[in-house]
Amino acid sequence: MPNAHVALTINGEPTEVAFAPYKTLLEVLREDLNLCGTKHGCELGECGACAVLLDGQPVLSCLVIGIDCDGRTVTTVEGLVTGGRLHPLQETFADLGAAQCGYCTPAFLVTAKALLDEQAHPTRDQIREALSGVLCRCTGYQQIFEAVEAAVDRAAAPDTGTAEAVPYGSGEVERREGPVVGHRESAVVGHRESAVVGHRFSGAGGEKPR
């Protein structure tokens, strides 16, 4: 079977990629473009761990066929870092413990970014509704909602400079903030897989936020 050839924009960069035509966007991102911040979850569209932005809107990349993305724009968690600086959401997720095992964190980050791009000052109910498609088994969601609200406040505050995005494993994060925060930052920045790399959720467990 001949490969499909697609030209699209990934994280602001024009990209051409060839892949087997049956592949999902999730598989193309991880296997062909080495963008492993987006996570394999249930692959049934139930857990939300694979969420990315397609033309600015959250989609479940496990349900999107790669060849349907020709000419379109995709943003993954790696694309939230601009000019070597973390997005305010990445900062607040790390600061407030909204990233624990980190597996669902990339999906929460891109989904929350889409919300804030459309609604600069969302209410708690709007945040809860926007993020309801992503399941978390660690946090209980409270820290996640608080992190989104804190990002709104941080974005509105005078610019005093944001944290630099340091690749996990470089030692810089661990030296600055200790190994636990270093682990969280690996999840929020999306440079590498978190400690649960390769783990697949069944999609049967977990609850949506109420």
Side-chain angles (χ1 to χ4, degrees):
M1 182 181 298
N3 279 344
H5 293 263
V6 168
L8 69 167
T9 300
I10 303 283
N11 296 329
E13 296 290 335
T15 303
E16 294 186 8
V17 59
F19 52 88
Y22 58 80
K23 281 191 171 184
T24 64
L25 175 58
L26 172 63
E27 293 168 325
V28 173
L29 290 171
R30 291 178 58 88
E31 299 171 10
D32 298 286
L33 295 172
N34 198 33
L35 293 171
C36 295
T38 304
K39 296 297 186 280
H40 264 127
C42 66
E43 298 189 68
L44 297 172
E46 296 179 356
C47 73
C50 68
V52 299
L53 303 185
L54 184 61
D55 296 332
Q57 296 300 312
V59 299
L60 300 176
S61 60
C62 74
L63 300 181
V64 176
I65 300 300
I67 57 176
D68 289 340
C69 296
D70 190 36
R72 305 183 74 176
T73 298
V74 176
T75 302
T76 70
V77 67
E78 291 90 345
L80 299 190
V81 175
T82 57
R85 301 287 180 172
L86 297 179
H87 190 282
L89 283 164
Q90 293 172 301
E91 291 183 324
T92 57
F93 266 63
D95 291 345
L96 299 181
Q100 292 191 14
C101 86
Y103 207 85
C104 63
T105 304
F108 276 116
L109 286 169
V110 297
T111 304
K113 180 184 184 300
L115 170 65
L116 298 188
D117 285 346
E118 293 185 355
Q119 173 59 261
H121 300 281
T123 65
R124 174 64 68 90
D125 285 343
Q126 288 173 322
I127 294 170
R128 183 182 292 108
E129 176 64 23
L131 302 183
S132 63
V134 184
L135 301 182
C136 176
R137 291 183 171 185
C138 300
T139 66
Y141 301 103
Q142 184 71 20
Q143 300 100 306
I144 293 171
F145 300 151
E146 291 174 351
V148 176
E149 292 170 339
V152 172
D153 294 337
R154 187 165 299 188
D159 184 12
T160 57
T162 54
E164 292 186 8
V166 179
Y168 186 65
S170 68
E172 291 299 320
V173 173
E174 292 88 336
R175 284 195 292 273
R176 286 204 314 264
E177 311 216 27
V180 175
V181 175
H183 170 74
R184 290 204 306 268
E185 191 156 329
S186 74
V188 300
V189 175
H191 283 288
R192 294 188 181 184
E193 298 274 10
S194 68
V196 289
V197 57
H199 181 74
R200 289 174 180 264
F201 289 161
S202 67
E207 295 181 353
K208 292 186 178 182
R210 295 183 177 87

